[in-house]
Amino acid sequence: MGQTLFDKIWDAHVVSSNEGFPDILYIDTHFIHEVTSPQAFDGLRARGLPVFRPQQTVATADHNVPTWDQHLPIKEELSRYQVDMLTKNCAEFGIELYGLGHPFQGIVHVIGPELGITRPGGTYVCGDSHTSTHGAFGAIAFGIGTSQVEQVMATQCLLQSRPKRMKIEVNGRLQKGVGAKDIILYIISQISAAGGTGYAVEYAGDTIRALSMEGRMTICNMSIEMGARCGLIAPDETTINYVKGREFAPKGEEWDKAVAYWQTLYSDEDAEFDSILSFKAEDIEPMITYGTNPGMGIGVTQHVPETASFEQKEQGSYKKALDYMGLHDDQQLLGKPIDYVFIGSCTNSRIEDLREVAQFVKGKHKAENVTVWVVPGSKQVQEQAIREGLDKIFDAAGFPLREPGCSACLGMNEDKIPAGKYCVSTSNRNFEGRQGPNSRTFLASPLTAAASAITGKVTDIREFLSEEVV
Amino acid sequence: MSTKIFKHIQTSVVPLPIENIDTDQIIPARFLKATTREGFGNNLFRDWRFDNDGNPKPDFVLNHPIYSGKILVAGKNFGCGSSREHAAWAIADYGFDAVVSSFFADIFKGNALNNGLLPVQVSDDFLKRLFEVIDADPHAEVEIDLVDQFIKIVKTGEQESFEVNPYKKACMTNGYDDIDYILSKKELVEEFEAAR
């Protein structure tokens, strides 16, 4: 019987497999950041252990960093302390740190791929659930807790039970104005925020195949939002072309050897999956979420579901979500006034996202009632955007280009959405208070966010697009 | 290094019949700035538990004097979202030894097990019965036995067995941890690296 892509990579990384025990899985690269690492470093000190493979550990500061005036000391004392602690820990344990001011600094899931550290066939972990992003390269990548961060620091391995395998196929041609973010929001809305729990999800089908690497990263990034352990997409020419020539990508003979191996990484035709789901690209509208988990999404022209359409035991939680959002049964979101637009996060802060938004907003201006933040995913993305003159387009549109970091995705740094305000956000979570206490989030694609910024209300991007565009 | 040992408990419980409780609710990101594992219990369910001025919200279950105990009973898909282990630390630090739900998110479940906090997954029907019994008698006690893998509503005798990974069970009942286990296999790791 054939093997799935997931199993090929997993098997190539099993150090030891014993009946009744989880496998000992070898980790190629461990990404760390300031929030989920300090207690792990303390654990190593308490055990008197070094970091076992510091050269396979990469650090950056992203969650706590301000996205304006980054050259100044971080104002918030606890944030500054946490970032300083990372610097101190990396120095003590011999780990390369791409901290504030470094040309490679950025959101951990943006810098790994753009530096060529993330590659097909590898295993990647980080104390951050959106590590699933790296699976876009045909790799196994998932988020871990701090005890596991310590485990990987101490041993370069992780004890893990093999998850089940799910294949999600998307075939067909996308409507104009519909992109990777809409695809993944649609899938999650169909299978729920728990529908992927316990599975490694391989995305396949011609719609997925046609996506750029950046689009594939957006898809894999949100695998965790349906509860999946990880998401992955078989590598192909698109993948290989993306990795080629990047800072830490293999070079010369090493490159040829690597590519030969990567070309073996696909699910065999007779490979068995525990679950297979299929979706049609034509069914996907520009998506928006209305509730307080990423599974609560609808096409932008649709209406919020009626409470009575849910099972009795689910109705309480549903009402709680609508109350929090200030919405009611059967409401249409289209045309609802908004207060903020956030374009950024590990889901949608790469150069293609910024180019797409810039192309759309060129010659337009944001509505007066809206504050817009455009936050690049990394220093390299920021500089590329400036080289291409996107910053000037953004400035003219009232969309200031900020500095790299997690920003308003998680309400941990200075960029918070105020209580009661509505934000159309390209990030990944609409949980209560996620973007700041009592903030209200509508998750959407970069294009939907940009169009909503221009009109000042929830907008169907398709209204702006002429037949020949996209 | 040893972790907390868990074998058996019997206590009253705290009901939280909400589904999809994500780790941002359990501990909001702005409280993740501490660099030690202690003290997160003070901010457990922070924005459900306290108003903007820091005053307890009387309608939230943790502020209700009638409910107490070492077991938290919650709706399905508990612990979804962010991988922050701080969520497990906050629940344990507050004083809970176990969380019962009909479904747990993967990463939370792993984090809980690594901190001596037992996630007990029960059937939808059993969860419904638990909420009904607690509703009728807030002091009703629940027994959880990890060694024999069962959960029981003491006054009615209703019980159900639950699953737990045998390795993690051995860790929790003996206080072992994963790092000790992998370090005991360190030569295999080095052989694996050399063979690549």
Side-chain angles (χ1 to χ4, degrees):
Chain A
M1 195 185 72
Q3 273 192 306
T4 65
L5 167 64
F6 177 84
D7 288 295
K8 287 180 183 177
I9 304 170
W10 183 281
D11 288 350
H13 288 84
V14 172
V15 169
S16 165
S17 185
N18 291 302
E19 186 71 31
F21 289 83
D23 288 347
I24 299 181
L25 192 71
Y26 192 78
I27 302 303
D28 290 322
T29 300
H30 184 197
F31 294 102
I32 64 170
H33 62 82
E34 77 277 16
V35 181
T36 55
S37 65
Q39 294 88 350
F41 282 114
D42 278 349
L44 290 186
R45 279 189 205 98
R47 292 171 200 261
L49 290 172
V51 170
F52 182 58
R53 293 290 178 250
Q55 68 279 25
Q56 286 168 252
T57 313
V58 176
T60 192
D62 53 8
H63 285 62
N64 273 286
V65 304
T67 60
W68 203 253
D69 285 341
Q70 264 184 4
H71 60 287
L72 298 177
I74 299 175
K75 283 185 219 139
E76 220 264 315
E77 192 188 338
L78 288 174
S79 290
R80 191 173 65 240
Y81 183 72
Q82 208 170 44
V83 171
D84 287 348
M85 186 67 89
L86 179 70
T87 308
K88 183 174 151 283
N89 282 328
C90 287
E92 181 182 334
F93 287 89
I95 293 168
E96 183 85 53
L97 169 65
Y98 304 136
L100 276 181
H102 194 286
F104 296 162
Q105 181 267 335
I107 305 175
V108 62
H109 312 307
V110 175
I111 70 168
E114 81 180 358
L115 290 171
I117 297 171
T118 306
R119 301 170 208 166
T123 49
Y124 304 94
V125 295
C126 175
D128 189 289
S129 60
H130 293 110
T131 309
S132 58
T133 310
H134 306 255
F137 289 79
I140 294 179
F142 53 90
I144 56 177
T146 297
S147 294
Q148 294 171 309
V149 169
E150 184 182 338
Q151 198 181 123
V152 180
M153 285 175 173
T155 67
Q156 203 58 34
C157 290
L158 197 63
L159 272 183
Q160 278 286 302
S161 300
R162 192 186 295 246
K164 292 181 284 185
R165 298 69 148 183
M166 179 186 285
K167 179 158 78 168
I168 296 182
E169 292 180 322
V170 187
N171 286 298
R173 188 146 183 250
L174 291 170
Q175 298 177 39
K176 60 182 181 175
V178 174
K181 182 64 165 289
D182 301 299
I183 298 175
I184 191 64
L185 283 174
Y186 176 79
I187 294 171
I188 303 166
S189 76
Q190 297 298 302
I191 75 171
S192 91
T197 305
Y199 289 94
V201 176
E202 180 178 345
Y203 301 94
D206 55 36
T207 314
I208 301 293
R209 221 16 80 220
L211 294 172
S212 68
M213 277 322 293
E214 303 204 348
R216 295 178 191 186
M217 284 189 250
T218 300
I219 302 262
C220 288
N221 171 274
M222 291 192 72
S223 302
I224 183 66
E225 307 312 336
M226 51 182 160
R229 182 83 60 84
C230 63
L232 70 173
I233 296 172
D236 57 12
E237 283 300 305
T238 305
T239 321
I240 293 167
N241 291 337
Y242 181 95
V243 177
K244 192 171 187 176
R246 290 187 181 266
E247 184 80 20
F248 298 110
K251 308 273 179 337
E253 224 172 276
E254 288 290 308
W255 170 258
D256 297 336
K257 220 170 97 188
V259 170
Y261 173 57
W262 298 346
Q263 284 166 339
T264 68
L265 297 174
Y266 50 84
S267 288
D268 297 326
E269 268 184 34
D270 57 343
E272 277 189 27
F273 289 85
D274 299 283
S275 172
I276 297 180
L277 302 173
S278 290
F279 299 102
K280 285 189 204 146
E282 292 80 4
D283 291 345
I284 307 174
E285 269 197 279
M287 294 289 295
I288 192 151
T289 64
Y290 57 87
T292 53
N293 73 59
M296 301 172 85
I298 49 176
V300 70
T301 60
Q302 293 170 3
H303 293 235
V304 170
E306 306 249 6
T307 306
S309 68
F310 293 88
E311 277 183 56
Q312 186 80 38
K313 67 181 166 90
E314 293 173 346
Q315 290 183 3
S317 300
Y318 182 70
K319 273 191 211 146
K320 183 176 187 302
L322 284 198
D323 284 349
Y324 181 85
M325 292 299 292
L327 301 174
H328 57 77
D329 276 10
D330 199 37
Q331 187 171 349
Q332 195 174 23
L333 295 189
L334 206 58
K336 182 167 181 59
I338 56 165
D339 309 290
Y340 283 79
V341 164
F342 170 54
I343 295 166
S345 87
C346 56
T347 314
N348 282 122
S349 64
R350 298 180 178 83
I351 190 68
E352 282 180 16
D353 299 311
L354 269 47
R355 283 181 191 140
E356 186 180 44
V357 170
Q359 191 191 358
F360 173 75
V361 304
K362 192 170 187 175
K364 302 186 180 76
H365 197 273
K366 74 169 185 76
E368 257 185 42
N369 58 309
V370 180
T371 302
V372 185
W373 293 332
V374 180
V375 183
S378 70
K379 204 74 197 161
Q380 295 206 81
V381 170
Q382 182 193 359
E383 285 178 359
Q384 180 72 26
I386 292 169
R387 271 199 300 278
E388 295 179 17
L390 306 187
D391 56 327
K392 296 197 175 61
I393 297 173
F394 287 137
D395 272 345
F399 286 43
L401 178 67
R402 300 173 71 91
E403 294 173 280
C406 296
S407 186
C409 177
L410 89 165
M412 184 160 192
N413 48 69
E414 293 165 11
D415 305 344
K416 293 186 182 73
I417 307 303
K421 299 295 183 190
Y422 288 98
C423 179
V424 176
S425 176
T426 68
S427 55
N428 39 56
R429 291 189 171 135
N430 50 356
F431 297 150
E432 287 184 32
R434 173 76 180 182
Q435 295 193 286
N438 292 306
S439 60
R440 291 156 162 172
T441 305
F442 295 134
L443 298 177
S445 72
L447 272 181
T448 296
S452 302
I454 300 299
T455 61
K457 53 200 185 191
V458 174
T459 297
D460 184 348
I461 176 67
R462 291 170 297 185
E463 291 168 16
F464 279 93
L465 300 176
S466 62
E467 287 301 320
E468 58 280 355
V469 184
V470 185
Chain B
M1 298 249 293
S2 64
T3 53
K4 196 172 138 193
I5 291 177
F6 185 113
K7 286 182 179 168
H8 175 270
I9 53 170
Q10 181 177 327
T11 87
S12 54
V13 308
V14 176
L16 195 53
I18 300 170
E19 301 189 338
N20 297 308
I21 295 176
D22 59 78
T23 54
D24 274 85
Q25 306 320 311
I26 298 170
I27 182 91
R30 62 188 190 279
F31 300 108
L32 306 186
K33 299 184 188 197
T35 52
T36 63
R37 292 178 183 234
E38 291 77 38
F40 289 101
N42 296 332
N43 293 311
L44 175 66
F45 295 116
R46 176 74 201 200
D47 293 335
W48 289 352
R49 192 170 146 203
F50 300 102
D51 65 19
N52 291 345
D53 301 321
N55 301 310
K57 294 182 183 176
D59 56 344
F60 186 64
V61 68
L62 292 188
N63 296 324
H64 205 304
I66 204 161
Y67 295 106
S68 66
K70 292 187 161 299
I71 302 172
L72 178 67
V73 183
K76 76 173 180 198
N77 200 24
F78 186 83
C80 59
S82 158
S83 61
R84 59 189 70 165
E85 191 163 316
H86 313 64
W89 298 338
I91 295 170
D93 188 58
Y94 183 86
F96 290 111
D97 288 338
V99 184
V100 179
S101 177
S102 56
F103 198 85
F104 287 93
D106 263 352
I107 303 178
F108 175 80
K109 194 197 278 185
N111 288 340
L113 289 165
N114 282 337
N115 285 279
L117 175 70
L118 184 68
V120 178
Q121 187 162 323
V122 297
S123 66
D124 284 332
D125 288 343
F126 194 82
L127 186 68
K128 187 165 165 249
R129 281 297 297 146
L130 270 174
F131 285 133
E132 285 167 0
V133 170
I134 303 159
D135 200 36
D137 174 9
H139 301 293
E141 292 205 335
V142 169
E143 180 184 359
I144 295 174
D145 191 297
L146 176 56
V147 178
D148 292 326
Q149 293 180 225
F150 71 84
I151 175 170
K152 182 171 165 184
I153 304 172
V154 175
K155 65 188 292 182
T156 66
E158 289 161 278
Q159 74 171 59
E160 195 171 85
S161 61
F162 62 86
E163 288 189 17
V164 61
N165 178 290
Y167 164 78
K168 291 313 292 187
K169 176 178 171 178
C171 286
M172 279 191 85
T173 51
N174 293 294
Y176 299 155
D177 97 358
D178 290 352
I179 297 181
D180 298 332
Y181 175 71
I182 306 180
L183 285 175
S184 76
K185 310 268 182 190
K186 199 170 166 187
E187 76 285 359
L188 293 178
V189 180
E190 285 166 343
E191 281 169 25
F192 176 88
E193 289 180 323
R196 298 190 94 194

